[in-house]
Amino acid sequence: MARNSLSPRISTDIIEFVKSNAMRKGDHLPLQMLADNFRVSRAPIMSALQKLEERGIVRAEPNRGYFLAVNGEAIDDLESENGQAAEGDDAIYLRIADDRLSGKFAERVSENELMRIYEVPRTRLLKILHRIADEGWIERLPGNGWSFKQTLMSRKSYEEGYVFRAVIEQQAMLLPTFQSDADGFRRARETQTELGNGGYEHWSRAEIFKANNDFHEMLVACSGNEFFLDAIKRINKLRRLLEYQITIDRSRLPKQTAEHLHILDLLESDRRSEAAAFLYTHIMGASRIKTPKV
Amino acid sequence: MARNSLSPRISTDIIEFVKSNAMRKGDHLPLQMLADNFRVSRAPIMSALQKLEERGIVRAEPNRGYFLAVNGEAIDDLESENGQAAEGDDAIYLRIADDRLSGKFAERVSENELMRIYEVPRTRLLKILHRIADEGWIERLPGNGWSFKQTLMSRKSYEEGYVFRAVIEQQAMLLPTFQSDADGFRRARETQTELGNGGYEHWSRAEIFKANNDFHEMLVACSGNEFFLDAIKRINKLRRLLEYQITIDRSRLPKQTAEHLHILDLLESDRRSEAAAFLYTHIMGASRIKTPKV
DNA sequence: AATCACATTTTATCATAACAAAATGTAATA
DNA sequence: TATTACATTTTGTTATGATAAAATGTGATT
């Protein structure tokens, strides 16, 4: 057996790309452009496009290339919509997270043990374990095996996480290097407005979560300081895992999006320290309400 | 061939353990206790002790175990002193860092390429690459190969790093959960005093660096917030890499240690916000002086 | 001049087997 | 009873060869 192909993921990426660039029916999709964009060679792009052709999303013209067969916004990506059942490595990753949160593991596990449980070859297992280690909830022991860390993923550190986020984001906004990103603000406004105007009723949990994270990461990116952004991205990965288990209280979303818009208002009228203070209470406010099962 | 043994590392660890616990000649060293301490089984402890016996540091009594043959403080660990030439994985890691900093790599490299260059089996190479990825200066590409990130390890982000540290450490100290650690303070005082009273002239660069890092991490640990501590530890790993290349200005050390002691003074007389403010300028002050070659 | 289509090279993953080290169970000893 | 010494089991690293995917070079087409 060989590795599993990139093309499914690339297909999804292309659809997302087409949508977010508001491309229209008939637009050309050059191989090299897409390849550079996704940081792969032309080969996997080719096979992804071929599969998209079978689905009628793009049209192939011999010796000329691939062209969009429909308008970008008209595409609804079946695979990623109903494909909630994550494929490939992600599936295993989520199963491990689940099993960990429901206490099915001893603190210490061996690689062989995990290979048997999840029926995964070692190479792939290690990739996943390293990802988890990067997120900070498992670590390699000096001898054999891996050890789950209790520290993250607990109620206590859940709250600590909110404190950390509130402080980092507020301070990032107060840095002298902070610069508003007009384009980012505009797009954030669109998303938040849409979410507030009824979107909160039908968007999927993942979409809502992503919109929220994107907003906060966009703000921190304005700080112009890589380390602040990195710290936030890192903690958001963990958060995703824990909040997956929480039922979203959709009734709170209108208030949340209103607060997000308020922050943008303040920034755009150059009231940065007010915005930073408000951001702090905004984040800490969310902490008080949510309650994870763990 | 099989994996390389843990015992050299464990030998060093045991020596460090004996020293830091101020153990005396004749003290007993139970296998299980050491095993638990280092999170391994008794097997590698056994072989480490056997090697320490050959070096005359411990004495074996049949069916009774191993006993210290000299006083803890009297041991000078030849292997780790002159053993500046790091062994095993660390050696490769440092070579990669060097080669990267001196611009010997294209941005994108394949695993096979690196295996050929450093003559390392894939398993070990991957371990090292994942460690580097965790530190944030390389990342796996979606297809084949890895890509060095420019962002960290540059002059700009070097300065950003100082800003980040200053903010995080200051804010950590201001958290309501912050609690002084009497024991930690005492030990920090000892080290800093020793370093200030002439230690700065003969301590190795690594020792000085470690003393400094330990001080700051100890302070952040008092915050009682895992995430703050984690963020500082993470950035310190990177710092170590960059500052390796800088010649330490030893004449500055007395001032630095004096400032460290001053911070402890302020904290112990319950002037926390003053301490936090001073800590901030202390860190930013260091940033202005040092200049990395990169 | 771009871009594609196709052919070729390079790469990483997987299965397998060998082996040394790590982990562990237990009788022997202090 | 606590700890070691020794025997046994389990584990993870390594080398090797097969294979499919990714990367790339180049002539053909627009």
Side-chain angles (χ1 to χ4, degrees):
Chain A
M1 217 183 297
R3 82 177 100 179
N4 39 3
S5 168
L6 282 179
S7 59
R9 196 199 327 175
I10 301 265
S11 292
T12 312
D13 288 348
I14 291 177
I15 291 173
E16 212 175 297
F17 178 85
V18 161
K19 279 185 178 173
S20 75
N21 289 53
M23 293 180 77
R24 319 284 312 167
K25 177 175 177 176
D27 283 351
H28 185 35
L29 293 169
L31 290 179
Q32 192 64 60
M33 182 266 284
L34 292 172
D36 292 345
N37 212 275
F38 303 136
R39 311 178 72 186
V40 295
S41 73
R42 290 162 350 227
I45 302 284
M46 255 297 251
S47 58
L49 283 171
Q50 278 164 8
K51 270 164 203 154
L52 287 179
E53 192 196 6
E54 291 168 14
R55 288 166 57 191
I57 294 174
V58 302
R59 176 172 41 79
E61 290 192 18
N63 281 317
R64 294 199 61 234
Y66 291 86
F67 300 83
L68 257 186
V70 291
N71 285 332
E73 68 252 25
I75 307 170
D76 48 334
D77 189 357
L78 301 171
E79 313 242 331
S80 82
E81 284 288 341
N82 57 25
Q84 290 291 34
E87 337 109 38
D89 293 357
D90 244 28
I92 310 284
Y93 167 84
L94 289 174
R95 283 174 63 196
I96 295 180
D98 253 16
D99 292 347
R100 163 60 174 156
L101 284 168
S102 60
K104 282 183 191 157
F105 285 121
E107 189 181 318
R108 189 181 158 286
V109 287
S110 78
E111 287 172 16
N112 287 353
E113 203 178 332
L114 292 171
M115 284 169 65
R116 285 191 295 262
I117 296 175
Y118 299 106
E119 292 174 300
V120 185
R122 177 169 255 118
T123 327
R124 198 182 301 186
L125 174 70
L126 283 177
K127 221 183 242 181
I128 298 165
L129 288 178
H130 277 119
R131 174 178 162 194
I132 297 177
D134 183 50
E135 291 179 358
W137 46 283
I138 207 172
E139 66 185 327
R140 183 80 237 257
L141 291 168
N144 292 347
W146 298 69
S147 169
F148 286 102
K149 293 202 218 169
Q150 309 160 323
T151 162
L152 304 173
M153 302 182 98
S154 71
R155 171 71 207 179
K156 175 163 170 286
S157 69
Y158 182 82
E159 279 158 6
E160 287 179 0
Y162 270 92
V163 173
F164 184 75
R165 284 179 62 219
V167 168
I168 294 286
E169 295 198 20
Q170 180 195 33
Q171 294 295 317
M173 195 172 276
L174 293 173
L175 290 180
T177 49
F178 186 94
Q179 276 195 312
S180 293
D181 165 12
D183 205 51
F185 282 16
R186 186 183 47 68
R187 270 178 301 185
R189 255 183 209 289
E190 281 174 21
T191 310
Q192 294 296 318
T193 308
E194 199 179 330
L195 183 55
N197 290 343
Y200 63 92
E201 283 173 335
H202 55 84
W203 285 22
S204 77
R205 203 166 49 165
E207 283 170 323
I208 293 174
F209 189 79
K210 182 172 184 301
N212 184 42
N213 269 10
D214 285 354
F215 178 82
H216 285 277
E217 288 177 11
M218 186 274 290
L219 283 185
V220 177
C222 295
S223 72
N225 188 312
E226 196 76 24
F227 293 95
F228 282 80
L229 181 56
D230 205 64
I232 286 299
K233 280 188 175 165
R234 174 168 294 276
I235 197 173
N236 278 346
K237 277 190 219 156
L238 258 186
R239 240 156 54 78
R240 173 172 147 252
L241 207 58
L242 285 177
E243 309 219 338
Y244 245 135
Q245 306 219 320
I246 302 175
T247 324
I248 290 185
D249 178 1
R250 287 171 193 262
S251 69
R252 278 197 69 254
L253 287 172
K255 176 158 182 272
Q256 188 187 77
T257 56
E259 291 184 356
H260 285 167
L261 292 171
H262 182 53
I263 290 169
L264 294 178
D265 288 341
L266 289 172
L267 285 174
E268 283 174 340
S269 46
D270 274 329
R271 295 153 71 185
R272 229 165 77 191
S273 53
E274 275 178 77
F278 186 77
L279 176 58
Y280 183 90
T281 55
H282 165 71
I283 294 174
M284 291 307 289
S287 141
R288 253 172 266 121
I289 289 160
K290 298 182 187 175
T291 307
K293 294 175 202 162
V294 278
Chain B
M1 219 181 296
R3 81 177 101 180
N4 37 4
S5 166
L6 283 179
S7 59
R9 198 200 324 174
I10 302 264
S11 292
T12 312
D13 289 347
I14 291 177
I15 291 175
E16 215 175 296
F17 177 86
V18 161
K19 280 185 179 175
S20 74
N21 288 52
M23 294 180 75
R24 321 283 311 167
K25 178 173 177 177
D27 284 351
H28 186 35
L29 294 169
L31 290 179
Q32 193 63 59
M33 181 266 283
L34 292 172
D36 292 345
N37 210 276
F38 302 136
R39 313 177 71 187
V40 294
S41 72
R42 293 165 345 229
I45 302 283
M46 253 299 250
S47 58
L49 284 171
Q50 277 163 7
K51 270 163 203 154
L52 287 179
E53 192 196 4
E54 291 168 14
R55 289 167 57 192
I57 293 174
V58 301
R59 176 172 40 80
E61 289 192 19
N63 283 315
R64 294 199 60 233
Y66 290 87
F67 299 83
L68 257 187
V70 291
N71 285 331
E73 69 251 24
I75 307 171
D76 49 335
D77 187 358
L78 301 169
E79 312 241 331
S80 81
E81 283 287 344
N82 57 25
Q84 290 290 31
E87 338 108 38
D89 293 358
D90 241 30
I92 310 286
Y93 167 84
L94 290 174
R95 283 174 64 196
I96 295 180
D98 251 18
D99 291 348
R100 163 59 174 158
L101 284 167
S102 59
K104 281 183 191 158
F105 285 121
E107 189 182 316
R108 189 183 156 284
V109 287
S110 78
E111 287 171 16
N112 286 356
E113 204 177 332
L114 292 171
M115 285 170 65
R116 284 191 295 262
I117 295 176
Y118 299 106
E119 291 173 300
V120 185
R122 178 170 256 115
T123 328
R124 196 182 305 186
L125 175 70
L126 283 177
K127 220 183 246 181
I128 297 165
L129 288 178
H130 277 119
R131 171 177 164 197
I132 296 178
D134 183 51
E135 291 179 359
W137 47 284
I138 207 172
E139 67 184 328
R140 182 80 237 256
L141 290 168
N144 292 348
W146 298 69
S147 169
F148 286 102
K149 293 203 217 168
Q150 307 161 326
T151 164
L152 305 172
M153 303 182 97
S154 70
R155 170 73 207 177
K156 176 165 168 286
S157 69
Y158 182 80
E159 278 159 7
E160 287 179 2
Y162 270 93
V163 174
F164 185 74
R165 286 179 60 219
V167 168
I168 294 286
E169 295 198 20
Q170 181 197 32
Q171 295 293 318
M173 196 171 278
L174 293 173
L175 289 180
T177 48
F178 186 93
Q179 276 195 313
S180 292
D181 164 13
D183 205 50
F185 282 17
R186 187 183 46 70
R187 269 178 302 184
R189 254 183 212 289
E190 279 173 23
T191 311
Q192 293 295 318
T193 308
E194 198 180 331
L195 183 56
N197 291 343
Y200 60 90
E201 282 172 335
H202 56 83
W203 285 22
S204 77
R205 203 166 49 166
E207 284 170 325
I208 293 174
F209 190 78
K210 181 169 185 303
N212 184 45
N213 269 11
D214 285 353
F215 178 82
H216 285 278
E217 288 177 12
M218 185 274 291
L219 283 185
V220 177
C222 295
S223 73
N225 188 311
E226 197 77 25
F227 294 94
F228 282 80
L229 181 56
D230 204 64
I232 286 299
K233 280 188 177 166
R234 175 168 294 275
I235 197 172
N236 278 346
K237 277 190 218 155
L238 257 186
R239 240 156 55 77
R240 172 173 147 251
L241 206 59
L242 286 176
E243 308 219 338
Y244 244 138
Q245 306 218 320
I246 302 174
T247 325
I248 290 184
D249 178 0
R250 289 173 191 259
S251 69
R252 278 196 68 256
L253 287 172
K255 178 161 180 270
Q256 188 188 77
T257 55
E259 291 184 357
H260 285 168
L261 291 171
H262 182 53
I263 290 169
L264 294 178
D265 288 342
L266 288 172
L267 285 174
E268 283 175 340
S269 46
D270 273 329
R271 294 150 74 185
R272 227 165 80 191
S273 53
E274 275 178 77
F278 186 77
L279 176 58
Y280 183 89
T281 56
H282 165 71
I283 295 174
M284 292 306 289
S287 141
R288 252 172 266 121
I289 289 162
K290 298 181 187 173
T291 308
K293 295 177 198 158
V294 278

